[in-house]
Amino acid sequence: MTMAKRTDTQSPALHAADSHDLIRVHGARENNLKDVSIEIPKRRLTVFTGISGSGKSSLVFNTIAAESQRLINETYSAFVQGFMPTLARPEVDILDGLTTVITVDQQRMGGDARSTVGTATDANAMLRILFSRLGQPHIGPPSAFAFNVASVRASGAITVERGARKAVKASFSRTGGMCPRCEGRGAVSDIDLSQLYDDSKSLNEGALTIPGYSMDGWYGRIFSGCGFFDPDKPIRKYTKKELHDLLHKVPTKIKVEGINLTYEGLIPKMQKSMLSKDIDALQPHVRAFVERAVVFTTCPDCDGTRLSEAARSSKIEGVSIADACAMQISDLAAWVRGLDEPSVAPLLGKLQHTLDSFAEIGLGYLSLERPSGTLSGGEAQRVKMIRHLGSSLTDVTYVFDEPTTGLHPHDIQRMNGLLLRLRDKGNTVLVVEHKPEVIAIADHIVDLGPGAGTAGGTVCFEGTVEGLRAGGTLTGRHFDDRAAVKEKVRTPTGTLEIRGATAHNLQGVDVDIPLGVLAVVTGVAGSGKSSLVHGSIPAGAGVVSVDQGAIRGSRRSNPATYTGLLDPIRKAFAKANGVKPALFSANSEGACPTCNGAGVIYTDLAMMAGVATTCEDCEGKRFDASVLEYHFGGRDISEVLAMPVAEAEEFFGAGEAHTPAAHRILQRLADVGLGYLSLGQPLTTLSGGERQRLKLATHMAEKGGVYVLDEPTAGLHLADVEHLLALLDRLVDSGKSVIVVEHHQAVMAHADWIIDLGPGAGHDGGRIVFEGTPADLVAARSTLTGEHLAAYVGT
């Protein structure tokens, strides 16, 4: 069959279908947005800038991405929609020209113990197929190399129809690769008995040190009346049987004082009451006990590889799948490149491409066995990017939330290349970002502001980079800001000696960190900065370590509860109205009965991400209507919790609502640049940088002498970096020692002392490549950091 030939030689006029090249937003009012109307070009890279809290996320995530998700949900069958919550339409008049949105955020990846970098991407699946084809000896299909699949053997009658004949199989087996001892987790838990009891005492003398197990209550009656052991005998004098009954006895019916009760050994009881629960949901004192008592040790059977002996015995050129997953990804890519096997050539090509993507995105230092829960927010986001780079989808909208978080200036250039590649495939790329290096490559810029919270929510500028520079907006004015290298540096008051540090990829590092000054530890991503600072400086007496990890607490927690600010506020409300303070807590008596004080109804979806919908009874205020009739300083409690920190600081600072205890905490929150956060905002909605600054504000009241900060500029606008530097200066001038792990050149230039790790990432890093003042680093230009800092300060 011949192809039909086109007869017209002239190019036709623009097709009607090609005219939809804009995403139109009209009248957006989500959160603090004030009737925002903009047009975003499709198939281009648009960067949204503005200070923290100016409304960038409200526009990009809560309006554009949320509406796209809602419309996609409506395409499912009525049956599927029955299992899904009805998503509310964002507060916006018109949204035109939307395409499918893929959000690449900085949420930490799966907390499942068996989730690794390899399973989170396709790399592990491809390796398993490769080993099932080429591995010697042959042990079975790809599942035989999977640590998520257990080996099963069963026997019984299984009817198999083959035409008219029926055959009966007597046994069934499935070969999995899971280590039977640790069940694919790589670690086994052990209980440290010395943390459960003091063996020199008897039970009646208070030998048990488990929270809640006192001899005064029901436990005391059970232990005294069970008759299995003598409660007055020291535990170290127990016989083997008595100790077994105390620790391990299975549930046994007993009668105490005429009441039927059940006696159970301490360890099974603990496993049910404490160890089976999510550790973050436990009360703080119980959590501290569990963290002390339960010790995780590497599984002795599989040596932490998670795989069965059979899976480890099958090798390709002397390398097992456990060895391959333990390799640094850049080394694994080189090994795969060396395999020449025509029968699996397409698979090798695809695997090669995936592994090269890791190296290209600056994650070549990871290994496939690295648990995905241990990745930082920025690393998790870049791992998610790898999935999309190999995707065949085009004409979709990718939304990125600060993709340069945790990246050295050297790595930012590579990230820019990836963003442009996604755009050049024909996708619309929307990026929320503060770094001038990323803003510089944008095709279109939307600058929100002018302030944060209620002072933001309007579009201050739309256009190109040149236009932004010329415009008078806050971002435009600070765009070409360059901090000068400090002329005069402080003199150290002492040193913190680290000797022979070998955590992760550190290669026996010896370093003296000066105290009493602002010391900055820098180096490319994966060079060993966090390993040096968090692994070698013991968090203990006098050391306050502030990282970007999730804050332990539930989705009910907010800045007011976390900082202890709610206590003085509740007491002030109670005193003014002559009622109990518990009424003014959404976790206690004052809670709205419908949503139990959460303000939202959570719907957990097994097959998709859970969704929160605003409670219709309290309209998200979280309190029972009767509580809102009590006022203090002319405001009810829900209005106070809805205030931004800056407004609350004024409110509690003077006038009839003057509350010194609350005002002190609010001042510290404003000091760390969180003036725009509302007091009642759930902690789960904060970015990594905001979480860290909230922790810093809380710790500032402590008596610590050494502050260790991990990238405090994450999520900070150019204008806010100045405030942060002033805060760090104040901390140092008040006699504290501040050690900062940081990539931001303004912080490096402002340091008194710089320690540069490298020269590369992974096993190419882990060494000190420079120690000295910023001026010396710029003059020497001997490292990647030195070159970028010299370019930044313009010498």
Side-chain angles (χ1 to χ4, degrees), residues 126-163:
M126 290 188 275
L127 264 183
R128 292 200 299 267
I129 298 169
L130 188 68
F131 273 85
S132 70
R133 298 283 191 278
L134 305 181
Q136 293 299 328
H138 178 74
I139 58 162
S143 65
F145 294 93
F147 52 76
N148 289 332
V149 180
S151 293
V152 180
R153 282 181 182 74
S155 57
I158 300 174
T159 309
V160 182
E161 296 191 16
R162 294 207 182 102

Side-chain angles (χ1 to χ4, degrees), residues 554-569:
S554 67
R555 45 197 174 194
R556 295 170 161 276
S557 307
N558 54 44
T561 58
Y562 181 74
T563 56
L565 171 66
L566 194 58
D567 287 341
I569 292 177

Side-chain angles (χ1 to χ4, degrees), residues 419-688:
L419 293 172
L420 294 172
R421 254 174 61 195
L422 278 175
R423 176 202 67 185
D424 295 345
K425 273 173 70 175
N427 299 307
T428 307
V429 181
L430 308 181
V431 183
V432 172
E433 189 51 87
H434 295 294
K435 294 270 170 74
E437 297 97 321
V438 181
I439 299 172
I441 63 161
D443 301 307
H444 188 71
I445 292 170
V446 178
D447 188 18
L448 287 138
T454 48
T458 59
V459 174
C460 303
F461 172 81
E462 256 192 288
T464 60
V465 182
E466 287 70 33
L468 179 70
R469 273 198 173 104
T473 68
L474 194 64
T475 309
R477 289 203 305 275
H478 286 276
F479 187 77
D480 290 312
D481 272 7
R482 294 291 180 265
V485 171
K486 223 177 200 172
E487 293 293 321
K488 196 163 179 282
V489 294
R490 298 180 181 93
T491 310
T493 55
T495 56
L496 183 71
E497 291 185 7
I498 295 175
R499 293 291 176 265
T502 53
H504 298 309
N505 63 333
L506 295 177
Q507 299 178 15
V509 169
D510 296 339
V511 65
D512 291 338
I513 300 179
L515 296 177
V517 299
L518 175 58
V520 172
V521 180
T522 182
V524 296
S527 59
K529 304 180 298 298
S530 297
S531 305
L532 178 69
V533 172
H534 295 301
S536 307
I537 301 174
V543 176
V544 177
S545 185
V546 189
D547 61 10
Q548 294 190 24
I551 287 174
R552 292 190 189 277
S554 67
R555 45 197 174 194
R556 295 170 161 276
S557 307
N558 54 44
T561 58
Y562 181 74
T563 56
L565 171 66
L566 194 58
D567 287 341
I569 292 177
R570 275 200 314 236
K571 285 172 186 159
F573 263 93
K575 194 174 174 188
N577 292 285
V579 290
K580 285 193 296 189
L583 276 179
F584 302 100
S585 168
N587 298 329
S588 190
E589 291 180 30
C592 158
T594 312
C595 62
N596 289 329
V600 288
I601 309 284
Y602 287 99
T603 312
D604 261 338
L605 303 172
M607 66 284 185
M608 298 172 77
V611 170
T613 44
T614 305
C615 170
E616 291 178 359
D617 284 15
C618 65
E619 295 175 346
K621 289 180 179 172
R622 306 174 62 186
F623 291 90
D624 192 14
S626 60
V627 176
L628 302 182
E629 290 168 15
Y630 299 113
H631 287 76
F632 174 62
R635 304 284 186 103
D636 66 42
I637 183 74
S638 73
E639 288 171 333
V640 167
L641 289 177
M643 283 182 187
V645 167
E647 188 185 330
E649 192 186 353
E650 277 181 41
F651 179 73
F652 288 109
E656 58 177 307
H658 181 55
T659 314
H663 188 248
R664 276 197 300 277
I665 299 173
L666 288 162
Q667 268 182 318
R668 290 203 295 272
L669 286 170
D671 265 356
V672 295
L674 291 178
Y676 60 90
L677 269 194
S678 63
L679 306 185
Q681 184 175 337
L683 292 190
T684 47
T685 63
L686 302 188
S687 69

Side-chain angles (χ1 to χ4, degrees), residues 407-414 437 743-745 748 788:
L407 284 184
H408 187 268
H410 172 68
D411 299 314
I412 292 177
Q413 296 168 345
R414 290 200 281 202
E437 297 97 321
H743 294 295
H744 201 295
Q745 290 108 317
M748 291 182 209
H788 282 280

